[in-house]
Amino acid sequence: MNMRSKRGALVGMVAVGSALALALSGCSRGGDSGGGDSAAASPGITDTSITLGITTPLSGATAGPGTCTVAGLNAYFGAANAAGGIEFGDGKTRTVEVKAYDDGYDPQKALANFQQMVSDGVFLETAGLGTPTNRAFREAAIDEQVPQVLVQTGDPIFSDQQESPWQLGFVPIYQNEGSAFGELLATSTAPHKVAILSQNDDYGQGYVEGFKDAIAGASNIEIVGEQTYEATDTSVDAQLTQLAGTGADVFFNAMSITPLAISALQKAQELGWLPSWFLPSNTSSPGAILQPGNATAFPGVYSVAFAKAPQSPAYSGDQDVVDFLANLKQYADYPDVPAFPHCMWSYMIGATLEQVFQKMTEPTRDDFMTQLRTVSDFQAPLMLEGTSVDTTVDGQPAVSTVQVQKYNGTGYANVDTFG
Amino acid sequence: MSRTADFLAHRWVRLAIVLIVIVVLAILPLVLPVFANQTLTRIGVYAVAVLGLNVVMGYTGVVSLGQIFFVGLGAYVTAYGVVNDWNIVLVFVAACVFSGIVGLVIALAAARLGGLAIAMVTIALPIIGVPLAKRLSDVTGGSQGVSARFSDAPDWTGLYNDQWQLYIVILITAIAFVAGRNLVRGRFGRAFAIVKENEAVAVSMGVSPYRYKVLAFTIAALFGGASGFLYMVAVQYTSPETLSFSHSISLVAAMVIGGAGSIVGSLLGGVYYVLVPQATNAIDPNLTTISQGVILLVILFVLPGGLVSLPRVIRRLARRARPPAGGIQEEGTVRPPSEGIGEERQAGPPAGGTEREERQGQA
Amino acid sequence: MGTFLQLVVDGLATGSIYAALALAIVLVNQSTGMINFAQGGMAVLSAYIAYVLTGWGVPLILAIVGAVVVSFALGAVVERLLVRRFEGGDPDTAIVVTIGLLTLVTGVCAWIWGYNNILFPSLFPLDTVDVLGAVVSIRSIGTILTIVVIMVLLQVLFIGTKLGLALRAVSFNPQSAALSGLPVGRLLMVGWGLAAALGAVAGALVAPELTLTPGMLDTSLVYALAAVIIGGLNSPIGAVVAAWAIGVLENLASVYIPLIGHDLKVVVPFILVFVVLILRPQGLFGRKVVVRV
């Protein structure tokens, strides 16, 4: 080790160090996105196109509904693009590009996807499924002033304008659906005993809370049993056994897992317990759940909905449904009849977004949010009579009214009273 | 010895390299784009978690499928502290110490059991942790989770949020990695290695497997808690999903892919954990599962020793390409790779060398 | 009393789902010394294959047989091409390879058949019988009986046949087995093939109840692993008994111990693991393994 090699090495190090410093300072730092001059266009929108982002579970346990959330959106905008694009309120016609990201129902990945979306330059985020995933980047969206709108979770926080100025929920809050059925039950004057089985999370708790609020005053309705289950459970036999033992004549179910709903239907029959059932909107598909579960054995199976069920024979001739199924097949690579309502809900979200786009006079996120809150009494395709999109009410999501329906062996029919 | 090793043997060379790294880390957040900073932040979070896992599983040979539980625990403690307005340094210490204590208690009970039984106990942690987090909703916010905003850049720094968060993560990650490296290079590291090799031999040498397993597990839990704090710095929200069992499996996979029993490997593991989902999303968001499976298997097929063994494998291939200059060349070493900034794996006992060779003979 | 018996009977049925998977895990472990995290995923793939066959008009029984044959081949091929490389090496790496395999198989199933819940036809009718006041479905009885038959067959295979002895020899000490003239490579393939075939039966048994989706057996895998460890890694009887115990005790704990309730009932299998292994480290029915230093 002589002096020359030492010095040579030292020179080498300094050279490497300076080269690194130079190279890194040469990296340009992208400016922060977000609000700015309101006249200049926001990221994600040009004169000819607008880009939407969606982060949703496309893998894992919730991938079934998650895939539907993307399919519905692609179906709607695929058809709209094929027809030439959407005419915005500023006179320009733009095509809509949808960028989907898989978050596997992991909040950390949802945030990563959101950050990626911002970096990739989307105009807004929409239609994502899941409460924890949407919550994970809710505040980041507020910071970045990126709309996170028409999300598919019934969590009330998204529709509270104070808490979430850049957000808006789409589907009814869970409490609304629960109370809709509670109100129906309250129309009956006969004494009723109610058994409750709910998923052990904010979804199940919201349903039960709404239901209990709606029957609070009725002295002829008594809750005789209340059990919970985990979304990861293999079976709900034990809970069914317990609840069957209460002798209840009404069974309020806040279940979102398809196989568990089917096995619950079967188990109740095996145990000889035949109450009237309530099932939530996302687990009420006639083809996927009620027929395998032999639901006609029960005196009544009720559900709430705001979307037409494509499997229902009643709608086989309905133009909306026919178009919807064709668009799903052609533009969303989804050839089967949907087993989850999220396909229909996403389709409606697309239609609602189109309404807002048609009102926008400036290509900015600020203007989008302003116009978003002006949609009222909009009957999106596939919506049931009596329900509509209304974004003007603070504290309520875009859809807040639901129809209570009763299963008639092949599909659903609206009902006003219980029994 | 190769020329690189010669070069790196000079102490002042290593010092200069360390200085350069510090300078680079100091200016990096200021020049990189926002998304790059955010990605590096998340890489730091999981690199610390994988480092903890490496201490107990890679170095000491105790299978732990519950590391994510401590990450979640640290995150929840952080959230609790922030919501109750504790001093931020206190929050960090609390996250680490609380997780460490829980890990200690669990290890004291479980370390006496056989290998597979310990694995089952560690599996129990996230699987019971999720419903427990839901049940203790007063403290944890239940299934809706809890938001804790505290890592926005203070005004006096003049930094953007992503830069501030990256600085915090860089600082804590660096501390964790330096601490981890010193740990495994010292007396404890040698003891861990002996316990992993052969417990009977360890006992005969006066090294108590039970005691060192408990120590390793506690350290893993401590690092997990620190990782949970960093998680909250990066995400500012936690829910029961933070500690779900599937993440534990992903952490183990990240550890092996990065390089088990290697400090640099832990960093690479963190890189793998964060970048692969982003990469598979870019390939096709509908096919993330199949892409991730393919990537994992391809990497392991080509590099069974993990990504950190890449330089070693390249060197071996280069040596095979060059005809040997006479005599028998040094055979493909069995030591896990020691490239990088003059870092070496602690020397194991010479007797252990041959057994390791047989075990890793497949590579 | 009626509730108690009902819970026990239902627990046996649920436990049989875990037992089916546990038996396959025991088989792979006995023949190759590895814990295969992908066992559930491979069983699901087999169930999908059976489903495709029924879609082509093949009667259910034959479809299952067909899936069993195809799965045997698949298992053998996976061992030869993928797992062989890692068998003698670092056990942690081998575990992660099976994790990668699980991810890949799940991804392939999702890619081909999507994530929707597919209704798989049941081998048994959907009727029930009355047993001492408790209602048992024919499907549950059928599942339990099939599990018992498989368990007995496996036990006989390992203890009574030359093939079983050869499989165990190969996994215990490959070098000695090779020196004794055993075709080590082929036996490893047979071991994995048999496990995959068993997994096919398991998948077909449980798919009617769980509905066919790529992640169908993900939760059951953890229970199956617990059952294998409680029962003893090398005992088919132990695995099945432990799986039943888990199913029954979980049900009973969730109903009769309010502190545990339905959300924390998952602690039961782990408490069992802990208790059994402290008292009997080799598992309930396991053989003590002596390691010479």
Side-chain angles (χ1 to χ4, degrees), chain C residues 144-229:
Chain C
I144 295 175
L145 284 178
T146 315
I147 296 292
V148 170
V149 166
I150 298 179
M151 171 187 87
V152 167
L153 283 176
L154 264 190
Q155 196 77 11
V156 164
L157 171 75
F158 280 132
I159 304 205
T161 66
K162 269 207 211 152
L163 174 63
L165 188 59
L167 285 172
R168 279 161 53 210
V170 159
S171 100
F172 190 65
N173 197 329
Q175 281 109 334
S176 303
L179 287 172
S180 311
L182 290 176
V184 171
R186 236 176 296 160
L187 282 169
L188 288 171
M189 287 170 71
V190 165
W192 270 71
L194 278 178
L198 208 165
V201 176
L205 273 179
V206 308
E209 166 120 16
L210 299 179
T211 72
L212 196 51
T213 69
M216 180 175 87
L217 286 172
D218 284 347
T219 328
S220 307
L221 181 69
V222 178
Y223 286 102
L225 280 176
V228 164
I229 292 175

Side-chain angles (χ1 to χ4, degrees), chain B residues 116-117 120 124 135 256 301 359, chain C residues 85 88-89 229 233 259-260 263:
Chain B
L116 221 38
M120 274 319 287
R135 193 183 266 206
V256 168
F301 228 80
R359 240 188 24 177
Chain C
R85 178 160 167 60
I229 292 175
L233 267 176
L259 179 67
I260 291 185
D263 55 329

Side-chain angles (χ1 to χ4, degrees), chain A residues 73-120:
Chain A
L73 220 49
N74 276 330
Y76 190 85
F77 287 122
N81 288 343
I86 295 180
E87 180 160 349
F88 278 58
D90 63 358
K92 304 206 171 67
T93 302
R94 298 178 170 92
T95 55
V96 179
E97 199 193 315
V98 175
K99 279 195 166 173
Y101 300 81
D102 173 25
D103 60 32
Y105 212 78
D106 179 11
Q108 181 262 130
K109 292 199 182 84
L111 177 67
N113 288 344
F114 175 73
Q115 291 168 344
Q116 174 115 53
M117 273 188 237
V118 170
S119 160
D120 286 348

